[in-house]
Amino acid sequence: IFALIVQVIGGVNATALLFAGLGPVLWIVYAWLVARDVTFRRALSVTARTGVLTLLASLWWIAGLRMQAAYGLDILRYTETVEAVARTSTPNEVLRGLGYWFFYGQDRLGPWIEAATTYTQVLRVILAGYILVALALFGAAFVRWRHRVYFIAVLTIGVVIAVGAHPYKSPTPLGRLFESLASSSTAALAMRSTGRAVPLVVLALAVFLGLATNVVSERLRKRGGRAYALAAPAVVVALLAVNFPALYNGSYYGKNLQRPEQIPSYWKQAIASLGNSSDSRVLEAPGSDFASYRWGNTVDPITPGLTDRPYVARELIPYGTAGSADLLNALDRRLQEGVADPRGIAPLLRRMGVGDLLARNDIEYERYDLVPPRELARVLAGTPGLAALRSYGTPGRAVPVGVQDEISLAAPPNDAYPSPVVVYGVKDPVPIVRAESTDHALMVSGDGEGLVDVADVGLLDQAGVVRYSASYTSPGALRAATNPGAVLVITDNNRLRARRWTSVKDNVGYTEQAGEADRPLDLDSGDARLPLFPNQQPSAYTTTVDLGVQRAVASAYGNTITYTPEDRASRALDGDPYTSWRANAFGDARGQRLRIDLERPITTDHVNLVQPLTGGRNRWITNIDLRLDGGPVLPVTLDPSSRTVGGQTIAFGRHTFQRLEVTVRQTSDHATNLFGKLDAVGFAEIRLRDEHSAHDVTMQEVVQMPTDLLDALGPDAATHPI
């Protein structure tokens, strides 16, 4: 029976299964060692038979995980981080049955779990939850029962596991152990969602609550009869009702996850028209965080389940190989941001083995800030080499997003809205499996972004084999792989920069200096770069060189979800008060810091600080700490003058120093709202001037393109078209 239950639920999530499985395991140990209800031989026999049958019943999902681990990307690196999980797994939330990170997430249209607003903002629900926990703990402490030890063990172990690494920035010794285990191996990282142990906590608390209710009810019955005896369960039931508003407010099933049982007929017609040929792929556009259609949210896209034809689409998590994910991201980014060159799309699709492009125009583009369907339709309609073969469904209408951007403002006012699904055929497609000629070869110094550029300028369609120079880990190997007469393409891509996987847009960081990733100011747990070119030469990257200072670096920039390179640390030293270093929008900005390492020591007695003058301004920095060359902390209170172009001048006495560090100690928001929209804070200008200079210290960033290809070929590069 146990194996059959696992077979039914096991494929949903192995972590949840393993954590919940601790309950039965503990029961076997308890029955043998504490209650002494069974012998060791009996316990071992039951464990062995249950374990073997459960393993056999789980092979169907274990095989899939094994295949992905052997041949695909390390998916765990691109999903939720230990820090994201630990952020919400507070002991008090865990005790009331919450604390799982996903419960608190939201997108542009609202919370992922609609009940989250009720459980975090409605006072009566919060109070009822804590009262129930208190009553259950009262039962655990004072009610004697034969199996109390077992459920106390389940409760304790469940809380310890569920809390995990919280608080992430300053964990307990046990929390530090959770952190270190998660970073030690892939198997340990798979167990990072420790909040999935909460069912153990809820089970134990429910048992203790029932015991306490029974005891109190029995004592009241002895004092006042049956009417008194009903008082205790009545109070508990009332508290449970208040704590479970889904019973009466219709939120048991989230409205954002409800959908018809049958998908729209136009989708079935569109997918049927694609056929089942395995010669070429179907590319679905635009990329989307999740498949949230106008007619219902299926989370995963429906197309792969309805066709046997090879399929590819940009999703939140990269699947397949690093090279294919990188190229798909590069193409989709251009479409999403409205900067795709139509001339390069068809050649790139041919190179990818795509025979048909399916435009899913009924995606809720406003939910994840995707390219509007009308904009995508305009680009594809003007793409040479694409033909709009078929349209399916009745054209809808534009959905007001409430936020205007440059793409929507540039749209023609009377542009027709496209059909929900449109299939475009690629002219002269090439099969997925094919040979490429070594004549007319391309050697590209760049990555997927560079390959899109190659297609845009017309070099890709008539090319033979295409290679990336960064694939070769030594100059000799690169030189040997470059065919005589091959065209050399040098791009400003393959940039050394951070990458997140929290959305399909705004997920790459600023271009870093060589070696910068090896010496971060703070570890960015969300930075998960694709291993596109393992062990590549440093000269294969596009990097930056800072002029005017050695380095300006911050603990974070932008917001807690996406990267915004325009908010990087160098913007506080560029001499322009209308650009800024800004950090931690949507989150707690306290503790964020910026460090400036100057080219040489300067002598001065002050610094002038200007807070951001543009963008959102619903909170400010009120207190900071200054440190010169790692010396004593100088607390500073910022006044309204710091919010003006002239800035606030901070005097600290005459010092000679080469390093200045500014730490945000307090901001104007003293309360943290889980669903708030707090703006980033930071500095537009940090003005430093040596007493012997007439000018402030400023910096410039110079982009340095890859040199690996020309370095490897040397004088022979002159024999190739470049």
Side-chain angles (χ1 to χ4, degrees):
I1 292 173
F2 191 91
L4 288 174
I5 292 172
V6 170
Q7 199 278 334
V8 172
I9 68 170
V12 176
N13 195 289
T15 309
L17 177 66
L18 291 171
F19 283 143
L22 290 174
V25 170
L26 284 173
W27 177 261
I28 292 174
V29 174
Y30 167 81
W32 167 45
L33 289 178
V34 180
R36 299 191 179 279
D37 289 337
V38 296
T39 64
F40 172 74
R41 182 175 180 180
R42 170 70 173 165
L44 185 63
S45 172
V46 168
T47 302
R49 282 182 291 145
T50 304
V52 169
L53 290 172
T54 301
L55 179 63
L56 292 174
S58 302
L59 288 178
W60 67 276
W61 59 264
I62 293 175
L65 291 180
R66 175 61 185 151
M67 188 70 70
Q68 169 64 36
Y71 298 104
L73 286 166
D74 182 6
I75 294 298
L76 293 175
R77 295 186 63 227
Y78 310 110
T79 54
E80 65 271 18
T81 64
V82 175
E83 181 177 5
V85 170
R87 189 176 297 132
T88 59
S89 60
T90 61
N92 51 304
E93 288 290 272
V94 166
L95 282 171
R96 63 183 189 124
L98 306 175
Y100 184 53
W101 68 274
F102 190 85
F103 182 77
Y104 306 89
Q106 63 177 341
D107 53 46
R108 289 164 64 93
L109 297 187
W112 295 339
I113 307 297
E114 293 160 10
T117 304
T118 302
Y119 280 98
T120 58
Q121 308 298 324
V122 179
L123 185 59
R124 66 177 181 276
V125 176
I126 297 172
L127 285 176
Y130 284 128
I131 292 172
L132 286 168
V133 171
L135 293 175
L137 293 177
F138 171 84
F142 298 107
V143 176
R144 296 187 176 277
W145 183 48
R146 182 188 178 197
H147 300 304
R148 183 173 69 161
V149 172
Y150 166 73
F151 283 100
I152 287 177
V154 169
L155 175 63
T156 304
I157 291 173
V159 169
V160 169
I161 293 175
V163 171
H166 179 86
Y168 184 80
K169 295 293 185 182
S170 54
T172 63
L174 197 57
R176 195 171 291 111
L177 176 62
F178 274 96
E179 283 185 30
S180 61
L181 286 175
S183 60
S184 63
S185 69
T186 301
L189 182 60
M191 307 298 289
R192 69 202 179 287
S193 289
T194 55
R196 291 178 179 141
V198 164
L200 297 176
V201 178
V202 174
L203 173 65
L205 289 177
V207 169
F208 287 129
L209 181 63
L211 287 171
T213 304
N214 285 347
V215 169
V216 173
S217 179
E218 178 61 22
R219 292 187 178 182
L220 290 175
R221 186 189 64 80
K222 291 179 178 179
R223 290 189 177 185
R226 185 176 180 183
Y228 278 64
L230 294 175
V235 170
V236 170
V237 168
L239 288 170
L240 289 170
V242 174
N243 190 53
F244 195 14
L247 288 172
Y248 46 84
N249 69 3
S251 63
Y252 193 92
Y253 298 105
K255 292 181 176 59
N256 64 347
L257 289 177
Q258 294 182 30
R259 59 180 176 83
E261 181 66 23
Q262 297 297 321
I263 68 170
S265 59
Y266 62 78
W267 263 104
K268 295 179 181 179
Q269 296 166 8
I271 293 174
S273 73
L274 298 174
N276 291 315
S277 170
S278 60
D279 288 343
S280 64
R281 296 183 173 92
V282 175
L283 170 67
E284 204 164 46
S288 180
D289 294 20
F290 298 101
S292 181
Y293 301 95
R294 297 242 169 265
W295 45 268
N297 190 346
T298 61
V299 183
D300 290 318
I302 61 174
T303 310
L306 298 175
T307 181
D308 292 329
R309 189 167 168 189
Y311 164 91
V312 63
R314 172 91 185 276
E315 294 187 48
L316 191 67
I317 305 302
Y319 295 102
T321 63
S324 60
D326 176 66
L327 181 57
L328 186 61
N329 290 357
L331 173 61
D332 187 69
R333 182 189 70 80
R334 312 287 178 104
L335 294 172
Q336 298 277 10
E337 296 180 2
V339 296
D341 188 333
R343 296 171 299 177
I345 293 176
L348 198 62
L349 295 181
R350 293 189 191 99
R351 184 65 56 159
M352 296 166 68
V354 172
D356 291 289
L357 187 152
L358 189 153
R360 43 184 177 184
N361 298 319
D362 59 350
I363 284 282
E364 287 185 308
Y365 69 91
E366 70 278 11
R367 179 178 292 277
Y368 303 115
D369 193 24
L370 308 178
V371 57
R374 289 189 294 180
E375 171 63 21
L376 181 64
R378 277 195 299 273
V379 174
L380 297 179
T383 297
L386 279 189
L389 299 181
R390 299 164 293 272
S391 297
Y392 299 92
T394 303
R397 59 183 179 82
V399 177
V401 180
V403 177
Q404 295 285 355
D405 58 20
E406 65 277 13
I407 296 177
S408 59
L409 289 172
N414 299 318
D415 221 9
Y417 206 79
S419 296
V421 180
V422 180
V423 177
Y424 298 83
V426 179
K427 295 179 181 178
D428 303 319
V430 297
I432 297 171
V433 180
R434 62 187 185 274
E436 295 286 1
S437 171
T438 56
D439 296 332
H440 310 293
L442 293 182
M443 182 62 79
V444 179
S445 185
D447 55 5
E449 292 278 356
L451 197 57
V452 176
D453 289 335
V454 168
D456 290 347
V457 298
L459 282 174
L460 189 59
D461 225 3
Q462 303 304 319
V465 66
V466 179
R467 297 185 176 98
Y468 289 130
S469 64
S471 300
Y472 302 93
T473 56
S474 70
L478 176 53
R479 194 163 48 247
T482 306
N483 300 71
V487 176
L488 311 183
V489 184
I490 304 164
T491 77
D492 64 347
N493 289 297
N494 193 30
R495 291 182 173 241
L496 183 62
R497 57 189 177 184
R499 183 183 286 271
R500 284 180 181 166
W501 304 91
T502 48
S503 73
V504 296
K505 291 177 65 177
D506 304 319
N507 50 15
V508 292
Y510 64 87
T511 305
E512 301 168 354
Q513 297 184 61
E516 184 173 333
D518 300 327
R519 46 193 175 94
L521 189 59
D522 273 2
L523 181 65
D524 181 1
S525 65
D527 181 4
R529 309 177 191 208
L530 276 174
L532 187 57
F533 305 115
N535 304 313
Q536 64 182 306
Q537 303 174 68
S539 59
Y541 282 116
T542 291
T543 56
T544 55
V545 177
D546 290 348
L547 304 180
V549 302
Q550 282 187 15
R551 186 185 183 213
V553 63
S555 53
Y557 57 98
N559 60 64
T560 58
I561 302 169
T562 60
Y563 286 124
T564 52
E566 62 270 25
D567 294 324
R568 60 192 181 274
S570 62
R571 292 304 178 94
L573 288 167
D574 60 1
D576 183 351
Y578 297 101
T579 62
S580 308
W581 163 64
R582 292 155 54 90
N584 258 44
F586 316 140
D588 187 352
R590 292 172 299 179
Q592 296 300 322
R593 55 198 178 114
L594 183 147
R595 191 175 74 197
I596 302 167
D597 292 319
L598 304 171
E599 286 187 329
R600 61 187 63 85
I602 65 170
T603 301
T604 185
D605 61 358
H606 69 278
V607 62
N608 182 271
L609 302 177
V610 180
Q611 296 197 55
L613 305 174
T614 59
R617 304 173 72 189
N618 63 16
R619 65 170 171 173
W620 304 92
I621 301 173
T622 57
N623 299 85
I624 62 169
D625 290 333
L626 289 179
R627 297 187 75 182
L628 308 178
D629 281 344
V633 170
L634 174 65
V636 175
T637 299
L638 298 183
D639 60 38
S641 66
S642 68
R643 308 170 199 169
T644 65
V645 174
Q648 178 179 349
T649 299
I650 312 298
F652 45 67
R654 190 172 182 270
H655 280 76
T656 300
F657 58 93
Q658 192 170 355
R659 170 177 290 177
L660 173 71
E661 187 168 306
V662 182
T663 302
V664 179
R665 185 154 51 88
Q666 185 59 58
T667 56
S668 56
D669 62 303
H670 292 274
T672 300
N673 187 334
L674 285 168
F675 301 103
K677 300 191 181 298
L678 298 170
D679 291 325
V681 299
F683 292 100
E685 285 298 300
I686 297 179
R687 296 173 177 141
L688 288 167
R689 181 181 300 183
D690 187 85
E691 63 182 14
H692 301 298
S693 173
H695 303 285
D696 293 332
V697 174
T698 58
M699 66 173 289
Q700 288 180 306
E701 293 174 302
V702 178
V703 176
Q704 180 171 285
M705 295 168 69
T707 63
D708 60 330
L709 184 51
L710 296 184
D711 288 346
L713 295 180
D716 290 342
T719 65
H720 295 266
I722 300 179

